[in-house]
């Protein structure tokens, strides 16, 4: 019982050794017969490929078989002399993809080759750009994704063109390239333009392209808050308010409407424009009418500030206010005249100089005038700037006002204001200054003379016996260099003393 167990165990120990030995025998046997398969690992659909199979060092004729995916027999080349390789020419179809190996058989033995995996590459066709959202028009700041789509194709790479220049992840404006997509996370105005793509694949250095058509992408701007303004005009006996509504920014089409006292009175949709105007009948002293503009697109709706439509006729007083402007050295250089009208929503203002309208107001005058007039109007003619105050600009100024919507209405005039005449004015000041200076100098001289006289008097009393030259110590102190000047001075002092005596 014990010995039989021992014997069984010995048999079990021997088994792995035997298995290993038979394995080595098999390897060495097949090694000598193993054929080698060579051929491409990728090929375009419909192209032709060649696989080569050879069993080296065979003296006997060999039969070669090309087999796909372990079982499907593709082709046979029979009884080739031992040193010749078998060539298998294949036309690549959709089903050609798979793993290939070859089998070499001699009357003595059979060998199996390495295997090669063949990928079938389908060139791209019917490439086009699609977009999300579609059509490719996006508001600033929103997301836009363009895709490069093909009807057919495999193993594809994608190249994007923006305005015919290749897009990379480094080009500006920034975009994100992933797979067949070009993504703009936040659309900016610079993104607007023409996009196209190419889908391509490559097999052993051979590239096949398919290009899309160009697609135009537009970037839409959001509307800005609408503004409102109005003017009055007269037609026959009726008055109308011409209310203008506009946005400064935004992409059409935009619907613009006007409401008066919360009731819509007009609406237009502009395919091009961001401006619209509406006519509203007006009556003097009518009930308060509050107008508002509204602009609307598919994504936005904005309303303007309210504006009260009123038509107050020009009335009350008209007055000219003058403001003089001085240069750094206190010279009068310019003047600003303002016309103030106490009442009236739409005054038309006009200016008169010496009872005739300003040279700048009538074109002919300014052409024939020998000297140019330096006046400029601003703030709807309310302000008149006189850039220079020469004789041409000086005189009596009057401003007058009437309703702009009533050309036949009466003017309301201001009082005349004298402006300029500056040269005479300045001369007077200069003369006065000179006279005053002379007077001041005279007074100083007289004062100095008096002081000297007093001093001289005391001196003469102390030293009775002195020469003539000693009598002028002041001249010797102040001007030691020139004797002639001393004489002049001494004479002056003589003269002064004579006066004071
Ligand atoms: C209304 O005003 C606009 C300008 O704001 C002008 O273009 C238009 O001609 C005016 N309409 C009338 C009828 O006066
Ligand atoms: C306007 O009249 C004043 C006073 O008569 C005169 O000094 C001035 O030169 C005149 N101005 C013009 C531009 O004629």
């Amino acid at each position: 019982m014990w010995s039989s167990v021992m014997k069984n165990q010995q048999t079990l120990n021997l088994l792995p050794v035997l298995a290993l030995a038979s394995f080595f025998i098999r390897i060495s046997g097949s090694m000598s017969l193993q054929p080698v398969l060579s051929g491409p690992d990728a090929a375009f659909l419909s192209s032709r490929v060649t696989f080569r199979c050879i069993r080296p060092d065979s003296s006997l004729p060999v039969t070669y078989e090309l087999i796909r995916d372990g079982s499907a027999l593709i082709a046979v080349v029979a009884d080739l002399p031992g040193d010749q390789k078998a060539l298998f020419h294949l036309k690549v179809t959709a089903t050609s993809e798979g793993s290939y190996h070859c089998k070499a058989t001699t009357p003595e033995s059979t060998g199996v080759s390495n295997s090669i995996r063949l990928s079938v590459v389908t060139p791209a066709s019917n490439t086009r750009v699609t977009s999300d959202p579609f059509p490719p028009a996006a508001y600033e700041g929103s997301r836009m994704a363009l895709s490069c789509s093909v009807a057919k194709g495999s193993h594809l790479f994608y190249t994007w063109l923006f305005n015919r220049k290749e897009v990379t992840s480094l080009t500006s404006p920034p975009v994100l390239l992933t797979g067949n997509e070009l993504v703009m996370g936040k659309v900016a105005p610079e993104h607007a333009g023409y996009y196209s793509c190419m889908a391509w694949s490559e097999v052993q250095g051979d590239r096949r392209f398919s290009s899309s058509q160009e697609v135009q992408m537009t970037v839409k701007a959001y509307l800005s808050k609408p503004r409102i303004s109005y003017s009055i005009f007269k037609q026959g006996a009726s008055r109308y308010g011409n209310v203008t509504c506009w946005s400064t920014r935004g992409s059409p089409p935009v619907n613009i409407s006007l409401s008066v006292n919360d009731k819509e009175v007009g609406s237009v949709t502009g395919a091009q424009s961001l401006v619209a105007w509406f006519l509203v009948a007006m009556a003097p002293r009518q009930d308060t009418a509050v107008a508002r503009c509204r602009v609307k697109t598919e994504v936005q709706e904005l309303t303007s500030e309210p504006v009260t439509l009123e038509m107050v006729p020009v009335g009350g007083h008209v007055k000219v206010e003058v403001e003089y402007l001085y240069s750094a050295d206190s010279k009068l250089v310019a003047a600003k005249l303002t016309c103030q009208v106490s009442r009236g929503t739409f005054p038309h203002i006009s200016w008169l100089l010496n009872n005739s309208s300003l040279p700048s107001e009538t074109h002919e005058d300014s052409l024939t005038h020998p000297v140019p007039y330096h006046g400029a109007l601003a703030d709807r003619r309310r302000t008149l700037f006189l850039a220079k105050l020469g004789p041409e600009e000086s005189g009596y100024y009057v401003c007058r006002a009437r309703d702009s919507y009533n050309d036949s209405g009466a003017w309301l005039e201001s009082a005349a204001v004298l402006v300029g005449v500056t040269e005479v004015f300045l001369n007077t000041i200069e003369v006065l200054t000179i006279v005053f200076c002379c007077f001041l100098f005279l007074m100083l001289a007289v004062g100095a003379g008096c002081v000297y006289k007093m001093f001289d008097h005391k001196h003469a009393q102390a030293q009775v016996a002195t020469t003539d030259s000693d009598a002028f110590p002041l001249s010797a102190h102040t001007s030691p260099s020139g004797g002639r000047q001393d004489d002049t001075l001494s004479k002056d002092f003589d003269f002064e003393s004579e006066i004071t005596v």
Side-chain angles (χ1 to χ4, degrees):
M1 181 72 179
W2 176 247
S3 65
S4 108
V5 170
M6 283 295 285
K7 202 177 167 195
N8 271 351
Q9 275 204 325
Q10 274 177 342
T11 320
L12 281 173
N13 285 346
L14 268 175
L15 271 176
V17 178
L18 285 172
L20 212 62
S22 75
F23 179 71
F24 276 120
I25 291 162
R26 249 195 294 163
I27 286 190
S28 57
S30 65
M31 279 268 273
S32 62
L33 283 172
Q34 193 176 48
V36 176
L37 178 70
S38 61
D41 58 359
F44 282 118
L45 186 69
S46 306
S47 66
R48 290 186 171 276
V49 292
T50 302
F51 283 103
R52 292 172 180 80
C53 191
I54 188 157
R55 203 208 74 155
D57 304 326
S58 174
S59 50
L60 297 166
V62 189
T63 296
Y64 291 97
E65 292 164 89
L66 184 66
I67 294 156
R68 188 177 67 220
D69 294 331
S71 57
L73 178 63
I74 304 301
V76 180
V77 178
D79 296 331
L80 267 191
D83 55 348
Q84 272 193 28
K85 58 175 71 162
L87 300 179
F88 298 97
H89 301 292
L90 301 182
K91 179 157 190 220
V92 179
T93 64
T95 55
S96 302
E97 187 152 303
S99 189
Y100 289 80
H101 70 264
C102 69
K103 206 170 177 187
T105 312
T106 63
E108 287 177 349
S109 61
T110 296
V112 173
S113 77
N114 58 306
S115 68
I116 293 176
R117 183 160 185 90
L118 176 71
S119 304
V120 175
V121 178
T122 311
S125 59
N126 289 336
T127 304
R128 63 203 176 86
V129 175
T130 58
S131 73
D132 176 27
F134 180 83
Y139 277 95
E140 284 171 64
S142 67
R143 182 182 186 272
M144 167 65 75
L146 303 177
S147 302
C148 193
S149 313
V150 292
K152 267 201 302 196
S154 71
H155 304 79
L156 294 178
F157 298 92
Y158 300 91
T159 300
W160 284 93
L161 301 179
F162 172 51
N163 293 335
R164 309 250 165 118
K165 286 209 195 81
E166 188 179 338
V167 177
T168 69
S169 26
L170 296 175
T171 47
S172 155
V175 295
L176 190 69
L177 298 170
T178 53
N180 69 332
E181 278 197 326
L182 181 152
V183 178
M184 296 154 227
K186 282 195 161 118
V187 169
E190 308 86 81
H191 283 122
Y194 292 87
Y195 289 85
S196 65
C197 72
M198 281 188 305
W200 54 276
S201 41
E202 184 173 356
V203 170
Q204 273 122 36
D206 177 16
R207 283 189 184 187
R208 301 217 181 154
F209 294 90
S210 168
S211 293
S212 76
Q213 302 233 308
E214 278 192 324
V215 162
Q216 186 183 10
M217 190 187 113
T218 53
V219 177
K220 293 195 276 185
Y222 283 106
L223 283 174
S224 61
K225 185 173 172 164
R227 313 264 295 272
I228 183 167
S229 78
Y230 72 106
S231 59
I232 303 279
F233 75 98
K234 188 177 157 186
Q235 202 170 56
S238 322
R239 307 279 154 75
Y240 294 94
N242 179 359
V243 185
T244 306
C245 298
W246 77 99
S247 277
T248 49
R249 248 170 87 50
S251 297
V254 178
N255 175 268
I256 306 176
S257 60
L258 176 74
S259 66
V260 175
N261 293 338
D262 294 328
K263 197 167 150 276
E264 188 172 298
V265 296
S267 160
V268 287
T269 300
Q272 301 296 323
S273 160
L274 295 175
V275 185
W277 50 263
F278 305 91
L279 296 185
V280 181
M282 305 271 294
R285 285 172 280 279
Q286 68 181 11
D287 295 340
T288 348
V290 177
R292 272 194 183 85
C293 293
R294 197 172 57 205
V295 291
K296 210 159 88 178
T297 63
E298 60 210 323
V299 294
Q300 268 183 300
E301 181 164 345
L302 297 168
T303 308
S304 73
E305 293 295 324
V307 102
T308 306
L309 300 180
E310 51 183 359
M311 196 173 64
V312 178
V314 165
H317 306 286
V318 179
K319 197 169 87 181
V320 175
E321 289 206 339
V322 188
E323 204 180 309
Y324 287 108
L325 305 165
Y326 295 90
S327 66
D329 55 348
S330 311
K331 276 237 171 74
L332 181 55
V333 285
K336 180 184 161 194
L337 279 65
T338 315
C339 185
Q340 300 198 326
V341 184
S342 46
R343 251 201 333 268
T345 0
F346 296 96
H348 170 76
I349 288 168
S350 127
W351 291 86
L352 303 174
L353 168 57
N354 288 355
N355 282 325
S356 57
S357 50
L358 287 188
S360 64
E361 285 201 42
T362 44
H363 194 55
E364 287 158 57
D365 264 13
S366 58
L367 281 178
T368 53
H369 237 249
V371 186
Y373 174 81
H374 297 90
L377 291 162
D379 186 22
R380 280 181 281 157
R381 312 166 70 89
R382 272 172 213 270
T383 308
L384 171 63
F385 286 104
L386 299 177
K388 191 170 166 278
L389 288 168
E392 287 303 310
E393 292 79 26
S394 304
Y396 291 94
Y397 280 87
V398 166
C399 87
R400 50 188 196 167
R402 72 178 177 199
D403 291 315
S404 60
Y405 48 85
N406 190 0
D407 288 346
S408 53
W411 290 103
L412 208 58
E413 275 194 7
S414 75
V417 172
L418 181 61
V419 173
V421 208
T422 54
E423 267 154 341
V424 180
F425 181 65
L426 267 183
N427 280 350
T428 316
I429 284 197
E430 271 161 20
V431 168
L432 278 176
T433 312
I434 290 162
V435 167
F436 181 71
C437 284
C438 290
F439 176 73
L440 206 65
F441 181 75
L442 200 68
M443 292 316 283
L444 278 172
V446 169
C450 288
V451 168
Y452 169 72
K453 194 77 186 162
M454 277 164 64
F455 176 76
D456 191 41
H457 193 60
K458 279 184 189 159
H459 192 74
Q461 277 181 335
Q463 295 182 324
V464 180
T466 50
T467 61
D468 264 13
S469 57
D470 285 342
F472 303 101
L474 185 65
S475 66
H477 284 292
T478 52
S479 256
S481 52
R484 223 186 126 205
Q485 213 181 349
D486 286 357
D487 286 351
T488 326
L489 263 174
S490 63
K491 271 183 191 134
D492 279 353
F493 279 103
D494 275 345
F495 174 68
E496 295 288 336
S497 47
E498 265 172 37
I499 287 185
T500 45
V501 165

